[in-house]
Amino acid sequence: DVVVAHELVFVHLGKTAGSSITCMLDPSIHHSGYGNSQCSNDNKFLPSAISQHVVERVHLKPAPINTYDNFLITVRNPLDRIVSWFYYLHPSFPPAKSNRHKLGCDNFKVFSCWDNIQSLSEEGLDSSHNYAANGKIIDYFRNS
């Protein structure tokens, strides 16, 4: 048997299945916190025993550590998370980007330099390219 605290806060970390988990929670939780998980009304997921204890979802803001003691947090392999982020925000790949995401894409030159994660991994850190010289690759990604 799994012992579950009476009140849990779901901390939605980007690209760690947070939207999928949010859609398995009570519908009143779907739009809590920042961001819309775009849960459909024909939800194919059935609530779990744990989901019945989630009272709040936080996303893109600090967790309420002074209010609650118990948190549900998902994690993911960092490399898988980066690959997921790259393809999620890259303007050439679905899904259609919201205005918020389009603005975020405009802040990074990475998408105009590399068409896919393979070219980024093979060419992105090659010291023969100007954007990798002197360890300034992060500066290159940001608009100047």
Side-chain angles (χ1 to χ4, degrees):
D1 289 330
V2 175
V3 176
V4 179
H6 292 286
E7 293 182 324
L8 288 170
V9 174
F10 172 48
V11 179
H12 177 165
L13 300 176
K15 312 318 309 159
T16 63
S19 293
S20 296
I21 290 170
T22 296
C23 293
M24 290 187 255
L25 301 175
D26 185 277
S28 65
I29 303 290
H30 291 181
H31 301 290
S32 64
Y34 290 105
N36 181 350
S37 293
Q38 300 179 345
C39 303
S40 65
N41 290 333
D42 63 342
N43 195 350
K44 297 176 179 108
F45 301 109
L46 296 174
S48 69
I50 291 175
S51 73
Q52 296 170 11
H53 294 277
V54 175
V55 296
E56 185 177 344
R57 167 186 167 261
V58 294
H59 182 53
L60 302 175
K61 68 177 189 175
I65 59 173
N66 294 326
T67 307
Y68 296 98
D69 294 323
N70 302 293
F71 300 88
L72 172 62
I73 303 170
T74 57
V75 295
R76 186 177 189 178
N77 176 300
L79 295 177
D80 291 338
R81 190 173 177 208
I82 289 170
V83 169
S84 178
W85 167 85
F86 182 90
Y87 284 115
Y88 181 74
L89 286 183
H90 197 291
S92 299
F93 296 94
K97 308 302 182 254
S98 68
N99 287 335
R100 176 175 61 91
H101 288 129
K102 286 178 187 173
L103 290 173
C105 291
D106 291 343
N107 290 329
F108 291 94
K109 295 179 183 179
V110 65
F111 301 121
S112 62
C113 299
W114 296 284
D115 293 333
N116 56 57
I117 200 74
Q118 187 67 31
S119 63
L120 171 61
S121 66
E122 289 176 354
E123 302 164 14
L125 300 177
D126 184 344
S127 62
S128 66
H129 293 89
N130 290 337
Y131 44 77
N134 300 322
K136 302 265 185 194
I137 193 164
I138 299 301
D139 293 335
Y140 182 80
F141 285 1
R142 296 185 179 134
N143 281 337
S144 42

